[in-house]
Amino acid sequence: MPQNAPIQDPTPANPVPIKLTTSFTSELSADKSQSTMPRQVAGAAFSRTNPATFSQPTLVSWNADLASQLGLEELTNEPAYAANVFSGQRLLEGSDPYAMAYGGHQFGNWAGQLGDGRAIALGDVTQADGTLRTLQLKGAGPTPYSRRADGLAVLRSSIREYLASEAMFHLGVPTTRALSLVLTGDQVLRDMLYDGNPALEPGAIVCRTAESFIRFGNFELPTSRGDIDQLRELADYTIRHHFGHLSDAQNPTAETYVEWFEEICQSTAKLMVDWLRVGFVHGVMNTDNMSIHGITIDYGPYGWVDDFDPAWTPNTTDSTHRRYRFGNQGAVGQWNVLQLANALVPLVEETTALEKAVNDYVPTFKSLHQAMMADKIGLQYSPASEDTDIVEELLQILASTETDMTIFYRRLATIDADTKDPLNAISDAYYDQTTLVGETRERINNWMQSYQKLLPTVGSDAAAQRTTLMNSVNPCYVLRNYLAQETIDAATEGDFSRMDQLAKVLENPYEQQAGAEKFAEKRPDWARNRAGCSMLSCSS
Ligand code: AMP
Ligand code: MG
């Protein structure tokens, strides 16, 4: 295991003058100890922690577009320096590396202190518009929150985090983003399938960015310890820096906390609807993995649904109860905001307003979901019960026989009011055509008939608009699990060109791209039950 060593920079001159600021460490209470020994950290929002030393950091992926947005474009021509910076071997000016203290509810149970066990934030860059983005290294060595683990990450999980967060960004789903992928040059021991067969894997570090990495669990931890001063300090900091538009943001009152919480409920509901729209299953929606910004964070054993199945989860750790299954994510979102509400109770005089916000999550989620589904099938939002029925029936028929979710909606856009044999037009969305008989066939045909009756007249402006709208919310390319796995297999052999190629295609997920047909295909049969393609453990 690499040791945490103070960074000694042999080169006095900074080849690229970039300055970070770190309000998290300058404004909040710090852990008094500097030791990285795993322990309980009380009365502090973070622990100063230097990244570990690695033998040979090598930059293997660099997100030049994101780098220029972050004002880091000069690093694009300095891969060796970037490899050192984004593995924590060289610190940029103003950097004050830290790991955050947080707790969380894991699979429905309070788990106590968790914290950044293998994430170390370097500080914030200032973008051209004046907004800040935190740079955080994932897998840069142990912190006081590492518990019994090593603080490291392996190549396969780092590629998965990099590709998924970028795929989500380009799909229009709020998310952290990935700036770089560095191979550390060291090997890391992992029991990938938790079956008693550990093996050495290449170690890697992703540098990810977000407005902040503050989670529901950051507030749950101080409340669980009855440390209300710590809770208030962090809540006020968060509102001051990230929710400045709220009333009295500089000096929050009980109303400010409620307004803030209401906003988190809304953004969480919206995020869940986005996940359902693109077929994403997070896999580990513990409250320590829930961002207060309503962005997707912590890509672990996630997956994209190939065949539409609301009961599917890619996470083998959750295969019995399937708490975090695809179709349960909206409900879990509400359970999670309830935990956050409980954490914020000490800040408000009375709880009615928090309760109301938790309850309002349901109608908010439902109306966003209804509007999203109406967009997906190309029917403008209408509260008519007829439209709700057609969505309900559709979700049932999609699950009744293996139907590729992504392909289905793209093909549906090609059907119009007088398409003669609509089932034929969508037939390649089905994994097994021989199941399209009897009752199943009749049910799909009946649905198509009712659907076609609702479609605008062929040749009208509305008909053209419908196709455009559908294709703007229904991606043609998603990060299918087997595509990620193929990329990982190639990268493990030293070939990162596949990763670059896939990342490029995923930059325009709604546009059919010539030559990219293979990335839009159904999951091949070999991938149906292969580890990494249909099931993943938390080992990463
Ligand atoms: P996750 O469910 O992956 O978000 O992780 C839950 C907790 O375990 C967090 O506190 C992580 O920081 C911690 N963790 C996961 N993997 C490691 C690791 N390899 N070393 C140290 N801590 C880890
Ligand atoms: Mg996590």
Side-chain angles (χ1 to χ4, degrees):
M1 194 190 292
Q3 296 302 304
N4 280 66
I7 303 295
Q8 285 174 3
D9 195 338
T11 324
N14 202 342
V16 181
I18 292 164
K19 207 170 168 354
L20 304 186
T21 55
T22 315
S23 63
F24 201 90
T25 57
S26 61
E27 295 181 27
L28 294 171
S29 301
D31 175 8
K32 297 203 172 44
S33 163
Q34 298 269 347
S35 155
T36 53
M37 213 177 54
R39 60 201 152 79
Q40 292 294 306
V41 176
F46 68 93
S47 303
R48 286 200 164 79
T49 311
N50 277 324
T53 304
F54 298 102
S55 27
Q56 203 186 351
T58 315
L59 188 68
V60 285
S61 277
W62 177 252
N63 190 340
D65 284 348
L66 178 60
S68 31
Q69 271 181 47
L70 298 171
L72 299 174
E73 60 280 350
E74 288 169 86
L75 291 176
T76 299
N77 301 319
E78 301 276 353
Y81 180 62
N84 278 324
V85 169
F86 298 111
S87 59
Q89 310 307 289
R90 296 276 308 258
L91 293 184
L92 294 168
E93 195 189 338
S95 182
D96 190 14
Y98 65 96
M100 292 195 305
Y102 55 81
H105 277 85
Q106 296 188 315
F107 299 96
N109 303 305
W110 175 242
Q113 176 184 297
L114 298 165
D116 284 334
R118 57 158 164 187
I120 297 178
L122 298 174
D124 301 343
V125 288
T126 307
Q127 305 185 110
D129 64 0
T131 57
L132 304 182
R133 285 289 175 276
T134 301
L135 304 176
Q136 193 193 58
L137 306 182
K138 185 167 175 180
T143 77
Y145 310 97
S146 297
R147 296 179 289 160
R148 282 194 222 147
D150 56 11
L152 303 174
V154 294
L155 179 62
R156 74 185 142 79
S157 63
S158 305
I159 289 180
R160 286 173 50 82
E161 167 118 22
Y162 189 109
L163 285 176
S165 60
E166 285 305 296
M168 290 291 253
F169 172 76
H170 293 290
L171 284 164
V173 181
T175 178
T176 58
R177 294 197 65 185
L179 174 66
S180 58
L181 173 63
V182 173
L183 276 170
T184 62
D186 297 311
Q187 299 284 302
V188 174
L189 196 63
R190 285 289 181 271
D191 186 357
M192 186 173 96
L193 300 174
Y194 292 143
D195 61 359
N197 288 307
L200 287 171
E201 300 187 44
I205 299 172
V206 168
C207 177
R208 53 186 190 174
T209 70
E211 180 175 344
S212 92
F213 289 90
I214 303 172
R215 302 138 193 271
F216 291 7
N218 290 71
F219 303 94
E220 292 180 272
L221 184 62
T223 302
S224 75
R225 292 166 166 168
D227 190 347
I228 309 312
D229 289 345
Q230 185 55 40
L231 170 71
R232 191 181 300 278
E233 182 190 84
L234 182 65
D236 290 3
Y237 168 89
T238 303
I239 292 171
R240 201 162 63 237
H241 284 272
H242 303 293
F243 294 82
H245 54 279
L246 298 178
S247 44
D248 299 315
Q250 298 311 313
N251 199 7
T253 64
E255 283 75 41
T256 320
Y257 299 123
V258 169
E259 267 180 49
W260 172 48
F261 177 67
E262 285 166 351
E263 197 170 311
I264 297 175
C265 290
Q266 304 275 325
S267 62
T268 303
K270 185 180 163 298
L271 182 66
M272 296 306 112
V273 170
D274 264 332
W275 287 0
L276 295 172
R277 172 173 65 83
V278 301
F280 178 77
V281 192
H282 182 284
V284 201
M285 287 179 66
N286 294 332
T287 55
D288 51 300
N289 290 336
M290 297 294 292
S291 158
I292 50 131
H293 302 292
I295 62 176
T296 317
I297 49 171
D298 278 11
Y299 291 87
Y302 68 81
W304 259 267
V305 206
D306 290 306
D307 56 289
F308 180 85
D309 177 5
W312 184 68
T313 175
N315 184 359
T316 50
T317 314
D318 192 27
S319 59
T320 312
H321 300 294
R322 295 177 182 263
R323 179 181 176 87
Y324 300 141
R325 62 189 179 274
F326 179 50
N328 205 33
Q329 297 182 113
V332 172
Q334 191 196 19
W335 194 89
N336 286 344
V337 293
L338 171 62
Q339 306 318 310
L340 177 60
N342 284 333
L344 301 183
V345 165
L347 300 178
V348 299
E349 276 103 49
E350 58 123 27
T351 57
T352 327
L354 290 179
E355 265 168 48
K356 181 173 183 310
V358 173
N359 291 334
D360 286 350
Y361 174 98
V362 175
T364 302
F365 173 81
K366 274 195 182 150
S367 72
L368 289 171
H369 186 260
Q370 199 176 350
M372 177 275 279
M373 284 305 299
D375 285 349
K376 272 186 95 65
I377 63 174
L379 302 178
Q380 268 167 338
Y381 176 65
S382 142
S385 67
E386 236 182 13
D387 293 5
T388 314
D389 291 348
I390 201 154
V391 167
E392 276 307 309
E393 174 66 5
L394 172 63
L395 296 178
Q396 285 185 28
I397 63 168
L398 284 178
S400 69
T401 179
E402 280 190 355
T403 316
D404 191 89
M405 174 177 161
T406 307
I407 297 177
F408 177 86
Y409 288 106
R410 290 295 287 205
R411 295 294 176 276
L412 195 64
T414 68
I415 289 170
D416 56 42
D418 47 41
T419 301
K420 287 290 170 287
D421 184 0
L423 181 48
N424 189 44
I426 57 165
S427 64
D428 68 332
Y430 294 97
Y431 278 85
D432 181 358
Q433 309 258 340
T434 63
T435 61
L436 297 177
V437 289
E439 210 183 305
T440 307
R441 187 178 194 92
E442 200 182 312
R443 217 173 149 190
I444 301 171
N445 275 328
N446 287 343
W447 185 85
M448 285 294 173
Q449 270 179 16
S450 338
Y451 176 61
Q452 284 179 296
K453 281 191 198 135
L454 299 170
L455 297 183
T457 327
V458 181
S460 65
D461 283 354
Q465 278 166 12
R466 165 182 163 261
T467 313
T468 311
L469 170 69
M470 287 176 76
N471 287 343
S472 71
V473 295
N474 295 320
C476 180
Y477 308 99
V478 292
L479 180 58
R480 291 176 185 271
N481 311 309
Y482 86 90
L483 292 175
Q485 188 56 43
E486 282 182 338
T487 305
I488 290 164
D489 292 343
T492 309
E493 299 297 315
D495 175 9
F496 284 85
S497 64
R498 283 192 74 109
M499 178 176 168
D500 296 343
Q501 196 189 2
L502 180 56
K504 194 90 207 129
V505 170
L506 295 172
E507 278 178 20
N508 283 301
Y510 298 103
E511 242 168 71
Q512 211 166 328
Q513 300 164 42
E517 293 75 15
K518 66 175 178 183
F519 297 108
E521 284 169 5
K522 285 194 285 268
R523 172 200 60 212
D525 229 30
W526 61 260
R528 184 177 284 269
N529 294 314
R530 206 196 128 178
C533 297
S534 61
M535 46 181 180
L536 294 131
S537 74
C538 289
S539 161
S540 58

